[in-house]
Amino acid sequence: MLNKLSLYPNDYYNYLKDRKAAYRQQKETLKQQIKDVYHELNGAIGYRMICDLLNRKGIQCSYGTVYSYMREIGIKAIVRRKKKPYIKGYQHHIFDNLLGQNFTAAKPNQVWCTDFTYLSLKNGSKRYNCSIIDLYDRSIIASLNSKWIDSNLAIETLEVALEANPVRDELILHSDQGSQYASRDFNAYCANNEITQSMSRAGNPYDNAPMERFYNTLKTEFVYQYSFETDEDLNQGIYEYIFDWYNHRRPHSYNGGKTPFEMRHSN
């Protein structure tokens, strides 16, 4: 066969060796690029996110290739901490669940979700975060930290969101049935601003899944990777993670690989 192609055997096998050398070099280059992204983000992201980020840089690769190379390198994403099981408590009626786990919105500032989570300083003292997410593009439109988890924090966070995102049409704000969102002060603030409240069923985290997912991502990719000496350190770190990385530079699967910022400004 080689003679029919007018090729000498040595030339043919040298050609194969050159091809293998080029492939090995290309493979090692991609492995290094994978490691660079992985270590840049403290190992907090998996192969899909790494692949998306590399593709955004013009480095063509597939999920399967990145997954395979990560196994060869011996690196993997940090396993997200499992949440403690929820104990279903007494189910009391406050506001109807208007979403029914349909976490979509046709346009910005139509449906927002909100929730609280706890954070810790290096000395072990607790801090609390309240954030609000827009279901249209999964952007975080407000996020505040406080020493107290109360209705004041919920109201102040909502104030920030409304100042930055003027609402012209009907707005639904979805939350759990926490006392902060069920308080008279918070209910009155929503009513005065013509905001319709919606609430999850008691003890059902899936009814507010976008907030659960966001907080899981925030803690896995950022909070668990650092220790914070002061409130200023914590506040600055959370602000930079959310309003620089999460909203503007981190591709989101819900947006088809676009960042929340790109999604909001794509139309």
Side-chain angles (χ1 to χ4, degrees):
M1 181 66 180
L2 295 180
N3 290 334
K4 289 182 179 181
L5 297 174
S6 301
L7 292 174
Y8 291 103
N10 285 345
D11 293 337
Y12 176 70
Y13 291 119
N14 286 335
Y15 166 73
L16 291 182
K17 286 174 64 177
D18 288 341
R19 284 192 63 187
K20 288 181 180 179
Y23 165 76
R24 284 194 295 268
Q25 180 59 47
Q26 184 180 30
K27 181 176 180 178
E28 290 305 313
T29 299
L30 181 54
K31 279 186 175 182
Q32 185 59 52
Q33 291 165 333
I34 290 170
K35 286 194 288 186
D36 289 343
V37 174
Y38 176 86
H39 291 299
E40 179 183 353
L41 298 171
N42 301 305
I45 58 175
Y47 68 92
R48 290 185 178 87
M49 180 64 68
I50 290 176
C51 181
D52 288 342
L53 290 170
L54 289 174
N55 285 333
R56 290 172 68 84
K57 294 180 178 180
I59 302 168
Q60 298 302 314
C61 54
S62 67
Y63 289 156
T65 298
V66 175
Y67 176 78
S68 176
Y69 287 3
M70 286 179 69
R71 292 193 66 180
E72 291 183 21
I73 297 168
I75 58 177
K76 60 182 179 180
I78 296 171
V79 177
R80 298 189 175 194
R81 299 185 182 184
K82 291 184 178 180
K83 299 179 76 66
K84 294 181 179 180
Y86 285 80
I87 300 174
K88 195 168 184 178
Y90 176 70
Q91 189 167 353
H92 55 284
H93 173 75
I94 300 179
F95 287 93
D96 290 338
N97 185 341
L98 303 178
L99 304 190
Q101 298 187 11
N102 177 16
F103 303 117
T104 61
K107 58 184 178 181
N109 304 325
Q110 186 178 54
V111 185
W112 295 349
C113 288
T114 184
D115 203 357
F116 292 96
T117 195
Y118 73 88
L119 307 167
S120 298
L121 296 182
K122 188 174 182 180
N123 62 12
S125 59
K126 289 287 188 291
R127 296 294 183 266
Y128 302 95
N129 174 272
C130 181
S131 292
I132 299 176
I133 192 171
D134 190 327
L135 291 188
Y136 172 72
D137 53 15
R138 295 307 195 262
S139 60
I140 301 300
I141 55 176
S143 184
L144 294 178
N145 299 330
S146 174
K147 295 180 181 179
W148 299 277
I149 181 170
D150 55 18
S151 59
N152 288 332
L153 177 57
I155 291 172
E156 289 170 5
T157 307
L158 185 51
E159 284 180 333
V160 171
L162 290 172
E163 288 176 3
N165 301 272
V167 176
R168 296 178 176 83
D169 300 314
E170 181 180 355
L171 170 65
I172 294 174
L173 179 67
H174 185 75
S175 69
D176 61 21
Q177 294 186 16
S179 60
Q180 302 85 0
Y181 300 117
S183 69
R184 288 184 180 179
D185 289 343
F186 189 80
N187 297 161
Y189 185 85
C190 288
N192 291 337
N193 286 277
E194 299 182 342
I195 296 171
T196 302
Q197 283 188 255
S198 167
M199 287 187 170
S200 306
R201 292 166 294 174
N204 193 328
Y206 303 107
D207 281 355
N208 203 4
M211 288 304 308
E212 295 284 334
R213 174 164 182 161
F214 164 68
Y215 277 137
N216 200 343
T217 299
L218 171 68
K219 291 186 177 182
T220 301
E221 291 187 1
F222 181 69
V223 174
Y224 295 151
Q225 309 306 314
Y226 300 97
S227 59
F228 306 94
E229 296 277 356
T230 66
D231 286 307
E232 289 73 17
D233 293 338
L234 177 64
N235 295 342
Q236 183 66 26
I238 293 292
Y239 183 89
E240 290 179 356
Y241 174 85
I242 291 176
F243 297 105
D244 178 23
W245 168 249
Y246 189 88
N247 278 353
H248 287 264
R249 296 192 290 128
R250 185 187 189 277
H252 201 298
S253 58
Y254 178 81
N255 297 330
K258 293 181 179 179
T259 69
F261 178 83
E262 289 171 337
M263 183 66 181
R264 180 159 295 218
H265 294 83
S266 61
N267 297 322

